[in-house]
mmCIF file of all heavy atoms in Angstrom:
data_model
loop_
_atom_site.group_PDB
_atom_site.id
_atom_site.type_symbol
_atom_site.label_atom_id
_atom_site.label_comp_id
_atom_site.label_asym_id
_atom_site.label_seq_id
_atom_site.Cartn_x
_atom_site.Cartn_y
_atom_site.Cartn_z
ATOM 1 N N LYS C 540 0.797 -1.217 0.000
ATOM 2 C CA LYS C 540 0.000 0.000 0.000
ATOM 3 C C LYS C 540 0.831 1.269 0.000
ATOM 4 O O LYS C 540 0.394 2.271 -0.512
ATOM 5 C CB LYS C 540 -0.941 0.002 1.194
ATOM 6 C CG LYS C 540 -1.983 -1.084 1.132
ATOM 7 C CD LYS C 540 -2.881 -1.033 2.312
ATOM 8 C CE LYS C 540 -3.892 -2.178 2.257
ATOM 9 N NZ LYS C 540 -4.746 -2.201 3.410
ATOM 10 N N ALA C 541 2.015 1.251 0.577
ATOM 11 C CA ALA C 541 2.798 2.473 0.726
ATOM 12 C C ALA C 541 3.505 2.837 -0.568
ATOM 13 O O ALA C 541 4.257 2.050 -1.105
ATOM 14 C CB ALA C 541 3.828 2.311 1.831
ATOM 15 N N ILE C 542 3.250 4.014 -1.066
ATOM 16 C CA ILE C 542 3.932 4.474 -2.260
ATOM 17 C C ILE C 542 5.203 5.186 -1.837
ATOM 18 O O ILE C 542 5.181 6.118 -1.042
ATOM 19 C CB ILE C 542 3.041 5.426 -3.081
ATOM 20 C CG1 ILE C 542 1.826 4.667 -3.604
ATOM 21 C CG2 ILE C 542 3.834 6.065 -4.213
ATOM 22 C CD1 ILE C 542 0.823 5.536 -4.294
ATOM 23 N N ILE C 543 6.318 4.742 -2.353
ATOM 24 C CA ILE C 543 7.601 5.356 -2.026
ATOM 25 C C ILE C 543 7.940 6.444 -3.031
ATOM 26 O O ILE C 543 8.353 7.527 -2.663
ATOM 27 C CB ILE C 543 8.723 4.300 -1.989
ATOM 28 C CG1 ILE C 543 8.469 3.353 -0.824
ATOM 29 C CG2 ILE C 543 10.087 4.946 -1.869
ATOM 30 C CD1 ILE C 543 9.387 2.175 -0.766
ATOM 31 N N ALA C 544 7.786 6.166 -4.312
ATOM 32 C CA ALA C 544 8.152 7.143 -5.333
ATOM 33 C C ALA C 544 7.306 6.938 -6.579
ATOM 34 O O ALA C 544 6.806 5.850 -6.821
ATOM 35 C CB ALA C 544 9.621 7.007 -5.680
ATOM 36 N N TYR C 545 7.148 8.002 -7.341
ATOM 37 C CA TYR C 545 6.460 7.910 -8.620
ATOM 38 C C TYR C 545 7.106 8.901 -9.569
ATOM 39 O O TYR C 545 7.790 9.831 -9.150
ATOM 40 C CB TYR C 545 4.956 8.174 -8.477
ATOM 41 C CG TYR C 545 4.621 9.559 -7.993
ATOM 42 C CD1 TYR C 545 4.343 10.586 -8.888
ATOM 43 C CD2 TYR C 545 4.584 9.847 -6.626
ATOM 44 C CE1 TYR C 545 4.039 11.853 -8.436
ATOM 45 C CE2 TYR C 545 4.292 11.116 -6.182
ATOM 46 C CZ TYR C 545 4.015 12.114 -7.094
ATOM 47 O OH TYR C 545 3.718 13.376 -6.655
ATOM 48 N N ASP C 546 6.898 8.670 -10.856
ATOM 49 C CA ASP C 546 7.438 9.601 -11.833
ATOM 50 C C ASP C 546 6.342 10.036 -12.796
ATOM 51 O O ASP C 546 5.187 9.669 -12.641
ATOM 52 C CB ASP C 546 8.640 9.008 -12.568
ATOM 53 C CG ASP C 546 8.295 7.766 -13.369
ATOM 54 O OD1 ASP C 546 7.129 7.605 -13.753
ATOM 55 O OD2 ASP C 546 9.199 6.967 -13.609
ATOM 56 N N LYS C 547 6.703 10.834 -13.774
ATOM 57 C CA LYS C 547 5.710 11.422 -14.672
ATOM 58 C C LYS C 547 5.020 10.407 -15.572
ATOM 59 O O LYS C 547 4.027 10.716 -16.195
ATOM 60 C CB LYS C 547 6.363 12.517 -15.514
ATOM 61 C CG LYS C 547 6.774 13.698 -14.672
ATOM 62 C CD LYS C 547 7.429 14.764 -15.511
ATOM 63 C CE LYS C 547 7.875 15.883 -14.584
ATOM 64 N NZ LYS C 547 8.634 16.898 -15.278
ATOM 65 N N THR C 548 5.532 9.204 -15.648
ATOM 66 C CA THR C 548 4.893 8.164 -16.457
ATOM 67 C C THR C 548 3.834 7.413 -15.657
ATOM 68 O O THR C 548 3.239 6.474 -16.150
ATOM 69 C CB THR C 548 5.927 7.149 -16.965
ATOM 70 O OG1 THR C 548 6.488 6.461 -15.850
ATOM 71 C CG2 THR C 548 7.009 7.811 -17.773
ATOM 72 N N ASN C 549 3.611 7.809 -14.402
ATOM 73 C CA ASN C 549 2.667 7.155 -13.499
ATOM 74 C C ASN C 549 3.123 5.763 -13.102
ATOM 75 O O ASN C 549 2.330 4.949 -12.654
ATOM 76 C CB ASN C 549 1.252 7.086 -14.064
ATOM 77 C CG ASN C 549 0.612 8.442 -14.136
ATOM 78 O OD1 ASN C 549 0.937 9.325 -13.355
ATOM 79 N ND2 ASN C 549 -0.277 8.632 -15.075
ATOM 80 N N LYS C 550 4.408 5.453 -13.266
ATOM 81 C CA LYS C 550 4.937 4.174 -12.801
ATOM 82 C C LYS C 550 5.292 4.324 -11.333
ATOM 83 O O LYS C 550 5.936 5.272 -10.936
ATOM 84 C CB LYS C 550 6.169 3.776 -13.611
ATOM 85 C CG LYS C 550 6.646 2.391 -13.275
ATOM 86 C CD LYS C 550 7.683 1.921 -14.254
ATOM 87 C CE LYS C 550 8.090 0.517 -13.881
ATOM 88 N NZ LYS C 550 9.037 -0.032 -14.819
ATOM 89 N N VAL C 551 4.862 3.383 -10.539
ATOM 90 C CA VAL C 551 5.023 3.470 -9.094
ATOM 91 C C VAL C 551 5.867 2.315 -8.600
ATOM 92 O O VAL C 551 5.701 1.182 -9.040
ATOM 93 C CB VAL C 551 3.634 3.442 -8.410
ATOM 94 C CG1 VAL C 551 3.775 3.441 -6.912
ATOM 95 C CG2 VAL C 551 2.798 4.625 -8.864
ATOM 96 N N LYS C 552 6.767 2.596 -7.666
ATOM 97 C CA LYS C 552 7.531 1.539 -7.007
ATOM 98 C C LYS C 552 7.241 1.658 -5.519
ATOM 99 O O LYS C 552 7.445 2.697 -4.923
ATOM 100 C CB LYS C 552 9.016 1.693 -7.277
ATOM 101 C CG LYS C 552 9.338 1.459 -8.727
ATOM 102 C CD LYS C 552 10.810 1.395 -8.952
ATOM 103 C CE LYS C 552 11.030 1.276 -10.436
ATOM 104 N NZ LYS C 552 11.752 0.152 -10.853
ATOM 105 N N ALA C 553 6.748 0.594 -4.931
ATOM 106 C CA ALA C 553 6.361 0.617 -3.528
ATOM 107 C C ALA C 553 6.823 -0.662 -2.848
ATOM 108 O O ALA C 553 6.260 -1.721 -3.075
ATOM 109 C CB ALA C 553 4.850 0.769 -3.387
ATOM 110 N N LEU C 554 7.840 -0.565 -2.065
ATOM 111 C CA LEU C 554 8.311 -1.687 -1.257
ATOM 112 C C LEU C 554 8.318 -3.014 -2.016
ATOM 113 O O LEU C 554 7.711 -3.992 -1.603
ATOM 114 C CB LEU C 554 7.452 -1.803 0.004
ATOM 115 C CG LEU C 554 7.467 -0.602 0.922
ATOM 116 C CD1 LEU C 554 6.495 -0.807 2.072
ATOM 117 C CD2 LEU C 554 8.847 -0.322 1.457
ATOM 118 N N GLY C 555 8.958 -3.039 -3.153
ATOM 119 C CA GLY C 555 9.049 -4.261 -3.920
ATOM 120 C C GLY C 555 7.886 -4.491 -4.877
ATOM 121 O O GLY C 555 7.871 -5.468 -5.597
ATOM 122 N N PHE C 556 6.935 -3.615 -4.889
ATOM 123 C CA PHE C 556 5.793 -3.724 -5.793
ATOM 124 C C PHE C 556 6.016 -2.790 -6.961
ATOM 125 O O PHE C 556 6.371 -1.643 -6.790
ATOM 126 C CB PHE C 556 4.500 -3.340 -5.076
ATOM 127 C CG PHE C 556 3.291 -3.386 -5.965
ATOM 128 C CD1 PHE C 556 2.691 -4.592 -6.255
ATOM 129 C CD2 PHE C 556 2.770 -2.230 -6.513
ATOM 130 C CE1 PHE C 556 1.584 -4.637 -7.084
ATOM 131 C CE2 PHE C 556 1.674 -2.276 -7.344
ATOM 132 C CZ PHE C 556 1.074 -3.484 -7.624
ATOM 133 N N ASP C 557 5.821 -3.279 -8.166
ATOM 134 C CA ASP C 557 5.982 -2.470 -9.363
ATOM 135 C C ASP C 557 4.639 -2.461 -10.083
ATOM 136 O O ASP C 557 4.120 -3.513 -10.443
ATOM 137 C CB ASP C 557 7.076 -3.079 -10.241
ATOM 138 C CG ASP C 557 7.424 -2.204 -11.427
ATOM 139 O OD1 ASP C 557 7.074 -1.005 -11.403
ATOM 140 O OD2 ASP C 557 8.033 -2.713 -12.367
ATOM 141 N N GLY C 558 4.056 -1.284 -10.253
ATOM 142 C CA GLY C 558 2.754 -1.207 -10.892
ATOM 143 C C GLY C 558 2.543 0.147 -11.524
ATOM 144 O O GLY C 558 3.444 0.983 -11.561
ATOM 145 N N ILE C 559 1.329 0.357 -12.015
ATOM 146 C CA ILE C 559 0.962 1.626 -12.631
ATOM 147 C C ILE C 559 -0.328 2.135 -12.001
ATOM 148 O O ILE C 559 -1.128 1.371 -11.461
ATOM 149 C CB ILE C 559 0.792 1.485 -14.153
ATOM 150 C CG1 ILE C 559 -0.293 0.472 -14.487
ATOM 151 C CG2 ILE C 559 2.110 1.129 -14.820
ATOM 152 C CD1 ILE C 559 -0.698 0.467 -15.954
ATOM 153 N N VAL C 560 -0.520 3.431 -12.086
ATOM 154 C CA VAL C 560 -1.764 4.036 -11.602
ATOM 155 C C VAL C 560 -2.850 3.729 -12.627
ATOM 156 O O VAL C 560 -2.711 4.050 -13.802
ATOM 157 C CB VAL C 560 -1.609 5.561 -11.432
ATOM 158 C CG1 VAL C 560 -2.922 6.202 -11.023
ATOM 159 C CG2 VAL C 560 -0.523 5.873 -10.405
ATOM 160 N N ILE C 561 -3.919 3.071 -12.178
ATOM 161 C CA ILE C 561 -5.018 2.741 -13.083
ATOM 162 C C ILE C 561 -6.238 3.628 -12.848
ATOM 163 O O ILE C 561 -7.079 3.763 -13.724
ATOM 164 C CB ILE C 561 -5.416 1.254 -12.999
ATOM 165 C CG1 ILE C 561 -5.856 0.875 -11.590
ATOM 166 C CG2 ILE C 561 -4.278 0.372 -13.482
ATOM 167 C CD1 ILE C 561 -6.506 -0.496 -11.487
ATOM 168 N N THR C 562 -6.320 4.206 -11.654
ATOM 169 C CA THR C 562 -7.461 5.046 -11.294
ATOM 170 C C THR C 562 -7.023 6.052 -10.249
ATOM 171 O O THR C 562 -6.192 5.752 -9.400
ATOM 172 C CB THR C 562 -8.605 4.191 -10.694
ATOM 173 O OG1 THR C 562 -8.962 3.165 -11.607
ATOM 174 C CG2 THR C 562 -9.821 5.015 -10.361
ATOM 175 N N ILE C 563 -7.615 7.236 -10.308
ATOM 176 C CA ILE C 563 -7.465 8.206 -9.224
ATOM 177 C C ILE C 563 -8.828 8.337 -8.566
ATOM 178 O O ILE C 563 -9.845 8.503 -9.241
ATOM 179 C CB ILE C 563 -6.997 9.569 -9.742
ATOM 180 C CG1 ILE C 563 -5.592 9.444 -10.334
ATOM 181 C CG2 ILE C 563 -7.032 10.621 -8.628
ATOM 182 C CD1 ILE C 563 -5.100 10.686 -11.026
ATOM 183 N N ILE C 564 -8.846 8.224 -7.245
ATOM 184 C CA ILE C 564 -10.069 8.488 -6.493
ATOM 185 C C ILE C 564 -10.016 9.967 -6.122
ATOM 186 O O ILE C 564 -9.236 10.381 -5.262
ATOM 187 C CB ILE C 564 -10.167 7.611 -5.246
ATOM 188 C CG1 ILE C 564 -10.165 6.134 -5.635
ATOM 189 C CG2 ILE C 564 -11.417 7.971 -4.440
ATOM 190 C CD1 ILE C 564 -10.103 5.180 -4.445
ATOM 191 N N HIS C 565 -10.806 10.751 -6.831
ATOM 192 C CA HIS C 565 -10.827 12.203 -6.625
ATOM 193 C C HIS C 565 -11.862 12.536 -5.556
ATOM 194 O O HIS C 565 -13.044 12.251 -5.723
ATOM 195 C CB HIS C 565 -11.158 12.916 -7.937
ATOM 196 C CG HIS C 565 -11.304 14.384 -7.803
ATOM 197 N ND1 HIS C 565 -10.285 15.195 -7.354
ATOM 198 C CD2 HIS C 565 -12.354 15.187 -8.049
ATOM 199 C CE1 HIS C 565 -10.706 16.444 -7.335
ATOM 200 N NE2 HIS C 565 -11.958 16.458 -7.746
ATOM 201 N N ARG C 566 -11.381 13.110 -4.468
ATOM 202 C CA ARG C 566 -12.270 13.508 -3.376
ATOM 203 C C ARG C 566 -12.775 14.920 -3.642
ATOM 204 O O ARG C 566 -12.006 15.878 -3.675
ATOM 205 C CB ARG C 566 -11.530 13.454 -2.047
ATOM 206 C CG ARG C 566 -11.191 12.046 -1.616
ATOM 207 C CD ARG C 566 -10.429 12.064 -0.329
ATOM 208 N NE ARG C 566 -10.212 10.712 0.184
ATOM 209 C CZ ARG C 566 -9.462 10.458 1.249
ATOM 210 N NH1 ARG C 566 -8.868 11.442 1.907
ATOM 211 N NH2 ARG C 566 -9.322 9.219 1.653
ATOM 212 N N LEU C 567 -14.075 15.054 -3.804
ATOM 213 C CA LEU C 567 -14.675 16.340 -4.123
ATOM 214 C C LEU C 567 -14.774 17.263 -2.912
ATOM 215 O O LEU C 567 -14.841 18.479 -3.068
ATOM 216 C CB LEU C 567 -16.070 16.122 -4.726
ATOM 217 C CG LEU C 567 -16.087 15.276 -6.009
ATOM 218 C CD1 LEU C 567 -17.513 14.950 -6.395
ATOM 219 C CD2 LEU C 567 -15.354 15.975 -7.127
ATOM 220 N N ASN C 568 -14.758 16.696 -1.725
ATOM 221 C CA ASN C 568 -14.889 17.504 -0.514
ATOM 222 C C ASN C 568 -13.676 17.349 0.406
ATOM 223 O O ASN C 568 -13.800 17.372 1.629
ATOM 224 C CB ASN C 568 -16.182 17.158 0.222
ATOM 225 C CG ASN C 568 -16.281 15.692 0.604
ATOM 226 O OD1 ASN C 568 -15.582 14.845 0.066
ATOM 227 N ND2 ASN C 568 -17.171 15.388 1.538
ATOM 228 N N ASP C 569 -12.490 17.201 -0.184
ATOM 229 C CA ASP C 569 -11.253 17.072 0.580
ATOM 230 C C ASP C 569 -10.102 17.534 -0.313
ATOM 231 O O ASP C 569 -10.272 17.672 -1.525
ATOM 232 C CB ASP C 569 -11.040 15.610 1.000
ATOM 233 C CG ASP C 569 -9.928 15.452 2.032
ATOM 234 O OD1 ASP C 569 -9.902 16.230 3.016
ATOM 235 O OD2 ASP C 569 -9.087 14.558 1.851
ATOM 236 N N VAL C 570 -8.948 17.752 0.278
ATOM 237 C CA VAL C 570 -7.794 18.224 -0.493
ATOM 238 C C VAL C 570 -6.927 17.083 -1.016
ATOM 239 O O VAL C 570 -6.021 17.313 -1.803
ATOM 240 C CB VAL C 570 -6.919 19.205 0.325
ATOM 241 C CG1 VAL C 570 -7.700 20.460 0.669
ATOM 242 C CG2 VAL C 570 -6.386 18.542 1.585
ATOM 243 N N GLU C 571 -7.169 15.866 -0.578
ATOM 244 C CA GLU C 571 -6.367 14.715 -1.000
ATOM 245 C C GLU C 571 -7.111 13.865 -2.016
ATOM 246 O O GLU C 571 -8.319 13.673 -1.916
ATOM 247 C CB GLU C 571 -6.036 13.813 0.190
ATOM 248 C CG GLU C 571 -4.961 14.328 1.075
ATOM 249 C CD GLU C 571 -4.548 13.275 2.106
ATOM 250 O OE1 GLU C 571 -5.021 12.133 2.074
ATOM 251 O OE2 GLU C 571 -3.740 13.626 2.937
ATOM 252 N N ASP C 572 -6.365 13.352 -2.973
ATOM 253 C CA ASP C 572 -6.859 12.321 -3.868
ATOM 254 C C ASP C 572 -6.062 11.058 -3.575
ATOM 255 O O ASP C 572 -4.976 11.121 -2.996
ATOM 256 C CB ASP C 572 -6.651 12.716 -5.332
ATOM 257 C CG ASP C 572 -7.551 13.875 -5.746
ATOM 258 O OD1 ASP C 572 -8.586 14.103 -5.098
ATOM 259 O OD2 ASP C 572 -7.205 14.555 -6.730
ATOM 260 N N LYS C 573 -6.584 9.920 -3.951
ATOM 261 C CA LYS C 573 -5.906 8.642 -3.726
ATOM 262 C C LYS C 573 -5.690 7.937 -5.054
ATOM 263 O O LYS C 573 -6.546 7.986 -5.935
ATOM 264 C CB LYS C 573 -6.731 7.738 -2.792
ATOM 265 C CG LYS C 573 -6.957 8.340 -1.428
ATOM 266 C CD LYS C 573 -5.664 8.544 -0.689
ATOM 267 C CE LYS C 573 -5.898 9.170 0.663
ATOM 268 N NZ LYS C 573 -4.682 9.502 1.346
ATOM 269 N N TRP C 574 -4.549 7.281 -5.181
ATOM 270 C CA TRP C 574 -4.217 6.529 -6.383
ATOM 271 C C TRP C 574 -4.501 5.054 -6.178
ATOM 272 O O TRP C 574 -4.194 4.499 -5.133
ATOM 273 C CB TRP C 574 -2.754 6.680 -6.721
ATOM 274 C CG TRP C 574 -2.338 8.032 -7.172
ATOM 275 C CD1 TRP C 574 -3.105 9.166 -7.249
ATOM 276 C CD2 TRP C 574 -1.037 8.416 -7.614
ATOM 277 N NE1 TRP C 574 -2.359 10.205 -7.699
ATOM 278 C CE2 TRP C 574 -1.097 9.786 -7.933
ATOM 279 C CE3 TRP C 574 0.159 7.733 -7.760
ATOM 280 C CZ2 TRP C 574 0.019 10.468 -8.402
ATOM 281 C CZ3 TRP C 574 1.260 8.424 -8.231
ATOM 282 C CH2 TRP C 574 1.179 9.773 -8.558
ATOM 283 N N VAL C 575 -5.053 4.429 -7.185
ATOM 284 C CA VAL C 575 -5.211 2.982 -7.204
ATOM 285 C C VAL C 575 -4.112 2.447 -8.123
ATOM 286 O O VAL C 575 -4.058 2.799 -9.297
ATOM 287 C CB VAL C 575 -6.602 2.566 -7.723
ATOM 288 C CG1 VAL C 575 -6.714 1.054 -7.783
ATOM 289 C CG2 VAL C 575 -7.698 3.169 -6.844
ATOM 290 N N VAL C 576 -3.236 1.627 -7.551
ATOM 291 C CA VAL C 576 -2.079 1.109 -8.271
ATOM 292 C C VAL C 576 -2.238 -0.394 -8.433
ATOM 293 O O VAL C 576 -2.629 -1.082 -7.495
ATOM 294 C CB VAL C 576 -0.775 1.424 -7.491
ATOM 295 C CG1 VAL C 576 0.438 0.879 -8.217
ATOM 296 C CG2 VAL C 576 -0.650 2.917 -7.246
ATOM 297 N N ALA C 577 -1.954 -0.875 -9.622
ATOM 298 C CA ALA C 577 -2.111 -2.304 -9.900
ATOM 299 C C ALA C 577 -1.021 -2.764 -10.866
ATOM 300 O O ALA C 577 -0.410 -1.935 -11.553
ATOM 301 C CB ALA C 577 -3.483 -2.564 -10.512
ATOM 302 N N PRO C 578 -0.797 -4.074 -10.931
ATOM 303 C CA PRO C 578 0.154 -4.589 -11.922
ATOM 304 C C PRO C 578 -0.341 -4.263 -13.332
ATOM 305 O O PRO C 578 -1.543 -4.103 -13.566
ATOM 306 C CB PRO C 578 0.119 -6.105 -11.695
ATOM 307 C CG PRO C 578 -0.446 -6.284 -10.334
ATOM 308 C CD PRO C 578 -1.370 -5.135 -10.104
ATOM 309 N N ARG C 579 0.577 -4.153 -14.262
ATOM 310 C CA ARG C 579 0.200 -3.919 -15.670
ATOM 311 C C ARG C 579 -0.792 -4.993 -16.122
ATOM 312 O O ARG C 579 -0.702 -6.144 -15.731
ATOM 313 C CB ARG C 579 1.424 -3.961 -16.564
ATOM 314 C CG ARG C 579 2.341 -2.802 -16.342
ATOM 315 C CD ARG C 579 3.407 -2.748 -17.417
ATOM 316 N NE ARG C 579 4.322 -1.667 -17.124
ATOM 317 C CZ ARG C 579 4.080 -0.378 -17.372
ATOM 318 N NH1 ARG C 579 2.951 -0.022 -17.904
ATOM 319 N NH2 ARG C 579 4.974 0.543 -17.069
ATOM 320 N N ASN C 580 -1.734 -4.589 -16.946
ATOM 321 C CA ASN C 580 -2.751 -5.472 -17.534
ATOM 322 C C ASN C 580 -3.720 -6.055 -16.518
ATOM 323 O O ASN C 580 -4.448 -6.998 -16.821
ATOM 324 C CB ASN C 580 -2.096 -6.604 -18.349
ATOM 325 C CG ASN C 580 -1.216 -6.059 -19.449
ATOM 326 O OD1 ASN C 580 -1.586 -5.094 -20.115
ATOM 327 N ND2 ASN C 580 -0.050 -6.637 -19.621
ATOM 328 N N TYR C 581 -3.755 -5.527 -15.305
ATOM 329 C CA TYR C 581 -4.704 -5.984 -14.287
ATOM 330 C C TYR C 581 -6.048 -5.332 -14.560
ATOM 331 O O TYR C 581 -6.145 -4.116 -14.697
ATOM 332 C CB TYR C 581 -4.192 -5.604 -12.907
ATOM 333 C CG TYR C 581 -5.046 -6.088 -11.771
ATOM 334 C CD1 TYR C 581 -4.966 -7.393 -11.316
ATOM 335 C CD2 TYR C 581 -5.941 -5.235 -11.134
ATOM 336 C CE1 TYR C 581 -5.744 -7.843 -10.265
ATOM 337 C CE2 TYR C 581 -6.724 -5.675 -10.076
ATOM 338 C CZ TYR C 581 -6.621 -6.970 -9.651
ATOM 339 O OH TYR C 581 -7.396 -7.405 -8.605
ATOM 340 N N LYS C 582 -7.080 -6.102 -14.647
ATOM 341 C CA LYS C 582 -8.421 -5.599 -14.940
ATOM 342 C C LYS C 582 -9.255 -5.574 -13.667
ATOM 343 O O LYS C 582 -9.329 -6.564 -12.946
ATOM 344 C CB LYS C 582 -9.115 -6.478 -15.978
ATOM 345 C CG LYS C 582 -8.348 -6.639 -17.264
ATOM 346 C CD LYS C 582 -8.289 -5.356 -18.032
ATOM 347 C CE LYS C 582 -7.603 -5.586 -19.365
ATOM 348 N NZ LYS C 582 -6.843 -4.467 -19.813
ATOM 349 N N VAL C 583 -9.861 -4.440 -13.389
ATOM 350 C CA VAL C 583 -10.705 -4.292 -12.211
ATOM 351 C C VAL C 583 -11.840 -3.325 -12.554
ATOM 352 O O VAL C 583 -11.647 -2.341 -13.272
ATOM 353 C CB VAL C 583 -9.883 -3.806 -10.989
ATOM 354 C CG1 VAL C 583 -9.263 -2.459 -11.238
ATOM 355 C CG2 VAL C 583 -10.700 -3.790 -9.727
ATOM 356 N N SER C 584 -13.021 -3.623 -12.070
ATOM 357 C CA SER C 584 -14.183 -2.786 -12.362
ATOM 358 C C SER C 584 -14.271 -1.623 -11.371
ATOM 359 O O SER C 584 -13.680 -1.659 -10.289
ATOM 360 C CB SER C 584 -15.467 -3.616 -12.282
ATOM 361 O OG SER C 584 -15.716 -3.991 -10.939
ATOM 362 N N ASP C 585 -15.034 -0.608 -11.753
ATOM 363 C CA ASP C 585 -15.283 0.507 -10.836
ATOM 364 C C ASP C 585 -15.926 0.008 -9.545
ATOM 365 O O ASP C 585 -15.568 0.444 -8.455
ATOM 366 C CB ASP C 585 -16.198 1.546 -11.482
ATOM 367 C CG ASP C 585 -15.513 2.350 -12.573
ATOM 368 O OD1 ASP C 585 -14.291 2.203 -12.773
ATOM 369 O OD2 ASP C 585 -16.221 3.131 -13.243
ATOM 370 N N ASP C 586 -16.869 -0.914 -9.677
ATOM 371 C CA ASP C 586 -17.553 -1.446 -8.499
ATOM 372 C C ASP C 586 -16.582 -2.131 -7.536
ATOM 373 O O ASP C 586 -16.710 -1.999 -6.321
ATOM 374 C CB ASP C 586 -18.655 -2.430 -8.901
ATOM 375 C CG ASP C 586 -19.848 -1.731 -9.533
ATOM 376 O OD1 ASP C 586 -20.023 -0.515 -9.305
ATOM 377 O OD2 ASP C 586 -20.606 -2.409 -10.259
#
């Protein structure tokens, strides 16, 4: 879960996990957004 670093290509490296940002959870009533990171080609529904 912990993101250590990211770059402009949205590639994320987190404690041995290598993935990409597939979704941003945009909070309309807060100042923070959250990234959903998954392995390449991982398919997941909005639900």
Side-chain angles (χ1 to χ4, degrees):
K540 295 180 182 178
I542 295 174
I543 293 173
Y545 63 94
D546 62 25
K547 293 179 183 174
T548 65
N549 291 332
K550 187 169 181 177
V551 176
K552 293 189 185 238
L554 299 176
F556 178 79
D557 187 17
I559 60 169
V560 176
I561 60 169
T562 304
I563 295 173
I564 300 174
H565 176 60
R566 291 178 174 174
L567 301 171
N568 58 342
D569 192 46
V570 297
E571 283 189 5
D572 291 338
K573 299 297 179 186
W574 291 4
V575 178
V576 179
R579 291 190 184 281
N580 302 319
Y581 183 80
K582 304 292 184 213
V583 61
S584 69
D585 288 354
D586 288 338

